[in-house]
Amino acid sequence: MVVYLLEQHITCASSFVGVSLPPKCLSNSGGPTGQDCGTNSYVIMSDSCEYMDQQNLKLQESPEVVPTGEMPRNILLTVDRHLVDRVSPGTRVSVIGVSSLVNSGAGDKMNAANIRTPFLRVVGIDIETTGGGRNSSNFTPQEEEEMQSLARHPDIYGMMERSIAPQISGDYTRDIKKALACLLMGGSRKILPDGVKLRGDINVLLMGDPSTAKSQFLKFVERVAPIGVYTSGKGSSAAGLTASVIKDSKGEFFLEGGAMVLADGGVICIDEFDKMRENDRVAIHEAMEQQTISIAKAGITTVLNSRASVLAAANPIYGRYDDLKSVGDNIDLMTTILSRFDCIFIVRDIRDQSRDRNIARHVLNVHLSAAVVDAPLEVDIDVMKLKRFITYCRERCAPRLSDEAATMLSSQYVQVRNQVRLALLNTPGEAQVVPITIRQLEALVRLSEGLAKMRLSAEATVADVEEAIRIFKVSTLAASQANPALLAGSGGNSEETQRVEDFLRRRLGLRMTVNTRKIVEEANAMGHSYESIKRAISAMVMRSELQELNQQKLLKRVR
């Protein structure tokens, strides 16, 4: 029997509501020949259908408005036509829509009512450009003129340094602020003729003692970055940082992007980086260098983009940096992860009276200013203007190295590699914890491009390369060549120093107090040198095993 189907137009309401085909032919007389078409005789003619763009989204509460102790609520959205691809994951939005219900699952065997899930059919989206999330890339002619004049300022580099975390003071923070300014600007992303992509984002690691404002740097960068995501290492897993596969109520698997996917195009700040589990830390190796996240789970094989800079903060393995130990004994991170950081700063809490007085005075001034309502903070560029300026520079400028700068960079890289080789020859058996590889040469290129981007210059000059090399030497190179030797003698982790520590533990009982000069003479009579005795006492005081009293005249065994 030949079945004739009459043309019928059916409108699809939304992506959540399926199309219900008529069970029977709507013609009273059946087909054109008068025959009965039977049941379920309609078919969809794909070539004759009219299509429009549709997209399903999930709207979630902002973290700052979620009640304490509760999970953030979410609701499904459906958008169509010109509203498709208006937003990306992590964007702060306000939506206007029509509330509807959709059947999300069948009832039980007792023919109970189907489960209905609410969703919104969106008719308007307003993207929030203030606060966290993605910043707007639309600039008025007045704003563009203001950004251009700001970039032409002769001291724009110093202005950005002073505007980054102005509440944090200290000589040791100046180079960190300059490196963070380069991180916020970023380098130029390149695509080679064979399709290979070279990242332009800069990664920075802050490794050091507690109470050196590492977390405050991370919080400030999260605020001024075009896209900022903050997370803590102890509360982050590999799936939470990259992507996870979730099974919905219908039994279908779908992907949910993690923190590095949400930070695509911005900066992800990872605090307590050393507290992460080793397996979770390995999961971000690909994201930090290749800037992609490969997923092959539950039949889903795909690659997600994570073009984000990584700003991480970590503590040494003993909580505080131990001068008597080598860099490898202080940094509990693998060489594979350290090589992916462009700048590694070892932040020290040095006990100096004048330095402590200046920092204390600055901190008290910050607290006194905060006590005054709406007290203006004297900065060169305020936070919102700095955020807009960073967004403008990142989108409108992609500098390249000049020929003179490239030649200088090549010679400097060879010289640095030679210095590291000679240092390893002079200290046999000492492993190189922070490697100097070709990745560090690319880091110098990115730092130079970031410095040129501040001026909206299309070319990175020799002066930019010199400043990039200076930042690299005071950060990564200084961390790789840190010498644990103190006073005049061999390294602090020598066998002789260890023997002196064993003698002190045997000689001093718990809570026992002795004269420092007397115990030094006893140790010297046992055949130990004065340098080794001083190093051993300093090491045990730093580890809180001994306590110096009465202007270092007495020693007390604490633990």
Side-chain angles (χ1 to χ4, degrees), residues 52-80:
M52 67 178 179
D53 295 333
Q54 284 192 336
Q55 187 181 21
N56 297 335
L57 305 174
K58 180 190 288 186
L59 181 66
Q60 182 173 295
E61 281 184 299
S62 301
E64 60 268 14
V65 300
V66 177
T68 305
E70 295 186 9
M71 295 291 292
R73 296 170 296 178
N74 58 74
I75 188 172
L76 296 176
L77 307 179
T78 175
V79 297
D80 52 25

Short mmCIF file of all heavy atoms in Angstrom, two decimals, residues 52-80:
data_model
loop_
_atom_site.label_atom_id
_atom_site.label_comp_id
_atom_site.label_asym_id
_atom_site.label_seq_id
_atom_site.Cartn_x
_atom_site.Cartn_y
_atom_site.Cartn_z
N MET A 52 16.42 27.60 13.55
CA MET A 52 16.94 28.80 14.21
C MET A 52 17.86 28.35 15.34
O MET A 52 17.75 27.24 15.86
CB MET A 52 15.81 29.68 14.75
CG MET A 52 15.02 29.08 15.88
SD MET A 52 13.76 30.20 16.50
CE MET A 52 12.99 29.21 17.78
N ASP A 53 18.77 29.24 15.70
CA ASP A 53 19.74 28.92 16.75
C ASP A 53 19.07 28.83 18.11
O ASP A 53 18.25 29.69 18.47
CB ASP A 53 20.84 29.98 16.79
CG ASP A 53 21.67 29.99 15.52
OD1 ASP A 53 21.75 28.93 14.89
OD2 ASP A 53 22.22 31.05 15.17
N GLN A 54 19.42 27.81 18.85
CA GLN A 54 18.94 27.64 20.21
C GLN A 54 20.09 27.17 21.09
O GLN A 54 21.02 26.51 20.62
CB GLN A 54 17.79 26.63 20.29
CG GLN A 54 16.46 27.17 19.81
CD GLN A 54 15.31 26.25 20.17
OE1 GLN A 54 15.51 25.06 20.37
NE2 GLN A 54 14.11 26.79 20.24
N GLN A 55 20.02 27.50 22.37
CA GLN A 55 21.08 27.14 23.31
C GLN A 55 20.49 26.95 24.69
O GLN A 55 19.59 27.71 25.09
CB GLN A 55 22.16 28.23 23.34
CG GLN A 55 23.39 27.88 24.16
CD GLN A 55 24.41 29.00 24.17
OE1 GLN A 55 24.08 30.15 23.89
NE2 GLN A 55 25.65 28.67 24.46
N ASN A 56 20.97 25.94 25.39
CA ASN A 56 20.54 25.68 26.75
C ASN A 56 21.64 26.13 27.72
O ASN A 56 22.81 25.82 27.53
CB ASN A 56 20.25 24.18 26.97
CG ASN A 56 19.12 23.69 26.10
OD1 ASN A 56 18.26 24.47 25.68
ND2 ASN A 56 19.11 22.40 25.79
N LEU A 57 21.24 26.87 28.75
CA LEU A 57 22.18 27.39 29.74
C LEU A 57 21.73 26.99 31.13
O LEU A 57 20.57 26.60 31.34
CB LEU A 57 22.27 28.92 29.66
CG LEU A 57 22.63 29.53 28.31
CD1 LEU A 57 22.53 31.05 28.38
CD2 LEU A 57 24.02 29.11 27.87
N LYS A 58 22.65 27.10 32.07
CA LYS A 58 22.33 26.89 33.47
C LYS A 58 22.69 28.16 34.24
O LYS A 58 23.84 28.58 34.24
CB LYS A 58 23.09 25.69 34.05
CG LYS A 58 22.76 25.45 35.54
CD LYS A 58 23.69 24.44 36.16
CE LYS A 58 23.38 23.04 35.66
NZ LYS A 58 24.20 22.03 36.39
N LEU A 59 21.71 28.77 34.89
CA LEU A 59 21.92 29.99 35.66
C LEU A 59 22.09 29.61 37.13
O LEU A 59 21.23 28.93 37.71
CB LEU A 59 20.73 30.94 35.49
CG LEU A 59 20.81 32.27 36.23
CD1 LEU A 59 21.93 33.11 35.66
CD2 LEU A 59 19.48 33.00 36.13
N GLN A 60 23.19 30.07 37.73
CA GLN A 60 23.50 29.72 39.12
C GLN A 60 23.66 30.98 39.94
O GLN A 60 24.09 32.02 39.45
CB GLN A 60 24.78 28.88 39.17
CG GLN A 60 25.18 28.42 40.56
CD GLN A 60 26.35 27.46 40.54
OE1 GLN A 60 26.24 26.36 40.01
NE2 GLN A 60 27.47 27.88 41.07
N GLU A 61 23.33 30.87 41.22
CA GLU A 61 23.48 31.99 42.13
C GLU A 61 24.94 32.41 42.25
O GLU A 61 25.84 31.58 42.18
CB GLU A 61 22.96 31.62 43.53
CG GLU A 61 21.46 31.65 43.68
CD GLU A 61 21.05 31.37 45.10
OE1 GLU A 61 21.35 30.27 45.59
OE2 GLU A 61 20.43 32.25 45.73
N SER A 62 25.15 33.71 42.46
CA SER A 62 26.51 34.20 42.69
C SER A 62 27.02 33.70 44.03
O SER A 62 26.24 33.57 44.99
CB SER A 62 26.53 35.73 42.66
OG SER A 62 26.06 36.20 41.41
N PRO A 63 28.30 33.41 44.15
CA PRO A 63 28.82 32.87 45.42
C PRO A 63 28.61 33.79 46.61
O PRO A 63 28.40 33.33 47.73
CB PRO A 63 30.31 32.68 45.13
CG PRO A 63 30.41 32.57 43.65
CD PRO A 63 29.33 33.44 43.10
N GLU A 64 28.64 35.13 46.38
CA GLU A 64 28.53 36.04 47.50
C GLU A 64 27.12 36.18 48.05
O GLU A 64 26.93 36.71 49.14
CB GLU A 64 29.07 37.43 47.11
CG GLU A 64 28.33 38.06 45.96
CD GLU A 64 28.99 37.75 44.64
OE1 GLU A 64 29.83 36.83 44.60
OE2 GLU A 64 28.66 38.40 43.64
N VAL A 65 26.09 35.71 47.31
CA VAL A 65 24.71 35.82 47.79
C VAL A 65 24.17 34.49 48.29
O VAL A 65 23.02 34.42 48.72
CB VAL A 65 23.79 36.38 46.68
CG1 VAL A 65 24.24 37.75 46.24
CG2 VAL A 65 23.71 35.44 45.50
N VAL A 66 24.98 33.44 48.25
CA VAL A 66 24.52 32.13 48.73
C VAL A 66 24.50 32.15 50.25
O VAL A 66 25.50 32.54 50.89
CB VAL A 66 25.44 31.02 48.20
CG1 VAL A 66 25.01 29.66 48.75
CG2 VAL A 66 25.44 31.01 46.69
N PRO A 67 23.41 31.76 50.88
CA PRO A 67 23.37 31.72 52.35
C PRO A 67 24.43 30.78 52.91
O PRO A 67 24.83 29.81 52.27
CB PRO A 67 21.96 31.22 52.66
CG PRO A 67 21.16 31.54 51.44
CD PRO A 67 22.11 31.43 50.28
N THR A 68 24.89 31.09 54.10
CA THR A 68 25.95 30.31 54.73
C THR A 68 25.51 28.87 54.95
O THR A 68 24.43 28.62 55.49
CB THR A 68 26.33 30.94 56.08
OG1 THR A 68 26.69 32.30 55.87
CG2 THR A 68 27.49 30.19 56.70
N GLY A 69 26.34 27.94 54.50
CA GLY A 69 26.07 26.54 54.71
C GLY A 69 25.16 25.90 53.69
O GLY A 69 24.83 24.73 53.82
N GLU A 70 24.74 26.64 52.66
CA GLU A 70 23.84 26.10 51.66
C GLU A 70 24.54 26.02 50.31
O GLU A 70 25.50 26.74 50.05
CB GLU A 70 22.57 26.96 51.54
CG GLU A 70 21.72 26.96 52.80
CD GLU A 70 20.41 27.70 52.58
OE1 GLU A 70 20.12 28.04 51.41
OE2 GLU A 70 19.69 27.95 53.56
N MET A 71 24.01 25.13 49.46
CA MET A 71 24.54 24.99 48.11
C MET A 71 23.89 26.04 47.21
O MET A 71 22.73 26.40 47.39
CB MET A 71 24.25 23.59 47.57
CG MET A 71 24.95 22.49 48.31
SD MET A 71 26.72 22.51 48.04
CE MET A 71 26.78 22.04 46.32
N PRO A 72 24.60 26.56 46.22
CA PRO A 72 24.00 27.53 45.30
C PRO A 72 22.91 26.89 44.45
O PRO A 72 23.08 25.78 43.94
CB PRO A 72 25.18 28.00 44.45
CG PRO A 72 26.20 26.92 44.57
CD PRO A 72 26.02 26.33 45.93
N ARG A 73 21.79 27.59 44.32
CA ARG A 73 20.68 27.08 43.51
C ARG A 73 20.91 27.41 42.05
O ARG A 73 21.64 28.34 41.71
CB ARG A 73 19.36 27.70 43.99
CG ARG A 73 18.97 27.31 45.41
CD ARG A 73 17.80 28.12 45.90
NE ARG A 73 18.15 29.54 46.00
CZ ARG A 73 17.29 30.48 46.38
NH1 ARG A 73 16.04 30.17 46.67
NH2 ARG A 73 17.68 31.74 46.44
N ASN A 74 20.27 26.64 41.16
CA ASN A 74 20.40 26.90 39.74
C ASN A 74 19.09 26.59 39.03
O ASN A 74 18.24 25.86 39.57
CB ASN A 74 21.55 26.07 39.14
CG ASN A 74 21.36 24.58 39.35
OD1 ASN A 74 20.54 23.94 38.71
ND2 ASN A 74 22.15 24.01 40.27
N ILE A 75 18.92 27.15 37.85
CA ILE A 75 17.74 26.93 37.04
C ILE A 75 18.16 26.88 35.58
O ILE A 75 19.16 27.51 35.18
CB ILE A 75 16.69 28.06 37.26
CG1 ILE A 75 15.38 27.71 36.56
CG2 ILE A 75 17.23 29.41 36.82
CD1 ILE A 75 14.25 28.67 36.89
N LEU A 76 17.44 26.09 34.78
CA LEU A 76 17.77 25.94 33.37
C LEU A 76 17.22 27.12 32.57
O LEU A 76 16.14 27.65 32.87
CB LEU A 76 17.19 24.64 32.84
CG LEU A 76 17.75 23.35 33.44
CD1 LEU A 76 17.02 22.13 32.88
CD2 LEU A 76 19.23 23.23 33.16
N LEU A 77 17.95 27.51 31.56
CA LEU A 77 17.55 28.58 30.65
C LEU A 77 17.57 28.05 29.22
O LEU A 77 18.38 27.18 28.89
CB LEU A 77 18.49 29.79 30.75
CG LEU A 77 18.76 30.40 32.12
CD1 LEU A 77 19.74 31.56 31.96
CD2 LEU A 77 17.48 30.88 32.77
N THR A 78 16.72 28.60 28.38
CA THR A 78 16.77 28.34 26.95
C THR A 78 16.74 29.67 26.22
O THR A 78 15.89 30.52 26.50
CB THR A 78 15.61 27.43 26.50
OG1 THR A 78 15.63 27.31 25.07
CG2 THR A 78 14.27 27.96 26.94
N VAL A 79 17.69 29.86 25.33
CA VAL A 79 17.79 31.10 24.56
C VAL A 79 17.77 30.73 23.08
O VAL A 79 18.12 29.61 22.69
CB VAL A 79 19.07 31.88 24.90
CG1 VAL A 79 19.07 32.32 26.35
CG2 VAL A 79 20.31 31.04 24.63
N ASP A 80 17.35 31.67 22.25
CA ASP A 80 17.31 31.43 20.82
C ASP A 80 17.61 32.72 20.06
O ASP A 80 17.73 33.80 20.64
CB ASP A 80 15.94 30.86 20.40
CG ASP A 80 14.78 31.70 20.91
OD1 ASP A 80 14.98 32.91 21.15
OD2 ASP A 80 13.67 31.16 21.08
#
